[in-house]
Amino acid sequence: GEQVEQRPPHLSVREGDSAVITCTYTDPNSYYFFWYKQEPGASLQLLMKVFSSTEINEGQGFTVLLNKKDKRLSLNLTAAHPGDSAAYFCAVSAAGYQNFYFGKGTSLTVIP
Amino acid sequence: GALVYQYPRRTICKSGTSMRMECQAVGFQATSVAWYRQSPQKTFELIALSTVNSAIKYEQNFTQEKFPISHPNLSFSSMTVLNAYLEDRGLYLCGATTGRDTEVFFGKGTRLTVV
């Protein structure tokens, strides 16, 4: 089945710096790509859903890049602030959402 | 809007006992419901995917004998953790979708503590 590798497992940046989290996947049939944020003790909050046809997606304070050739998905927080401190998970799904595969997560700490 | 509610939000059970958790979809038809577990300090593992009118598909390392699932209609699913032990503790999440390539909606999870 699909294998999703997420790096780094832990990331610490200063407020205002950028933070980049990367996932690689193995299934060429993967079609939907997701980034979730999980604050301590809470469930998943969807940050962005990316379709396979779109390579660059901009959200509120972050950019998601999809490179289908390299099977790589990245989340770039452009100017991190302490409220961004949380765990971030990527997830990958084939068409039809038959299965969701999560990365192992990245614990991000933003130092004021 | 589409919402998914999970009950209970937190629960504690004694080692060797069983615990049932529920997932309720509101505002859409939950054709498919996936159950996940997030063990402490780990990612979300898919336990099983249930689709109405189809057999429930369990992932490797998870069995129907340990995690029986019911998905009787398009708005409700439940899962029981039988004979819970320490390694079963964690956050159990259900994700529901209409199955027509729309968004997956997640509940807030049921946090299971085993003592």
Side-chain angles (χ1 to χ4, degrees):
Chain A
E2 173 79 270
Q3 294 195 27
V4 180
E5 295 286 334
Q6 184 171 342
R7 294 277 187 272
H10 302 281
L11 181 59
S12 184
V13 301
R14 294 207 171 272
E15 185 173 3
D17 288 349
S18 64
V20 180
I21 304 169
T22 301
C23 286
T24 56
Y25 59 95
T26 57
D27 187 349
N29 295 317
S30 296
Y31 192 80
Y32 294 106
F33 306 88
F34 305 79
W35 282 103
Y36 289 92
K37 178 181 180 182
Q38 184 188 32
E39 296 183 350
S43 186
L44 295 172
Q45 173 193 350
L46 178 67
L47 288 179
M48 182 169 282
K49 178 173 75 172
V50 177
F51 293 89
S52 63
S53 57
T54 310
E55 294 185 344
I56 302 175
N57 299 266
E58 293 188 354
Q60 195 85 343
F62 59 88
T63 302
V64 171
L65 300 177
L66 173 64
N67 182 326
K68 289 199 72 185
K69 176 173 172 288
D70 293 342
K71 299 191 190 67
R72 186 185 304 271
L73 177 74
S74 66
L75 171 69
N76 186 344
L77 285 86
T78 46
H81 57 85
D84 293 328
S85 295
Y88 290 82
F89 294 89
C90 65
V92 176
S93 169
Y97 291 104
Q98 287 306 300
N99 278 312
F100 242 59
Y101 292 95
F102 286 90
K104 290 191 183 301
T106 296
S107 176
L108 173 65
T109 303
V110 180
I111 304 165
Chain B
L3 293 169
V4 172
Y5 294 100
Q6 285 190 250
Y7 308 100
R9 292 294 311 279
R10 293 177 180 273
T11 187
I12 302 172
C13 69
K14 288 187 177 178
S15 182
T17 64
S18 300
M19 189 273 151
R20 181 169 179 262
M21 55 191 76
E22 300 181 348
C23 178
Q24 180 90 37
V26 176
F28 69 105
Q29 294 185 325
T31 306
S32 293
V33 174
W35 287 92
Y36 298 86
R37 179 175 71 190
Q38 183 185 36
S39 302
Q41 310 302 321
K42 291 189 177 178
T43 191
F44 291 91
E45 296 177 279
L46 177 64
I47 297 171
L49 177 69
S50 170
T51 302
V52 171
N53 298 326
S54 294
I56 298 171
K57 183 183 168 191
Y58 285 83
E59 289 290 293
Q60 198 173 11
N61 300 326
F62 296 98
T63 65
Q64 184 181 3
E65 290 70 32
K66 172 72 175 177
F67 299 96
I69 289 170
S70 171
H71 189 180
N73 56 53
L74 291 171
S75 64
F76 182 82
S77 177
S78 67
M79 184 177 75
T80 302
V81 181
L82 294 175
N83 299 318
Y85 288 101
L86 273 179
E87 58 264 28
D88 294 318
R89 63 201 164 116
L91 180 69
Y92 288 81
L93 211 63
C94 81
T97 175
T98 62
R100 285 202 292 267
D101 289 354
T102 57
E103 184 173 343
V104 175
F105 300 97
F106 285 97
K108 292 189 185 298
T110 293
R111 189 167 296 278
L112 173 64
T113 301
V114 182
V115 297

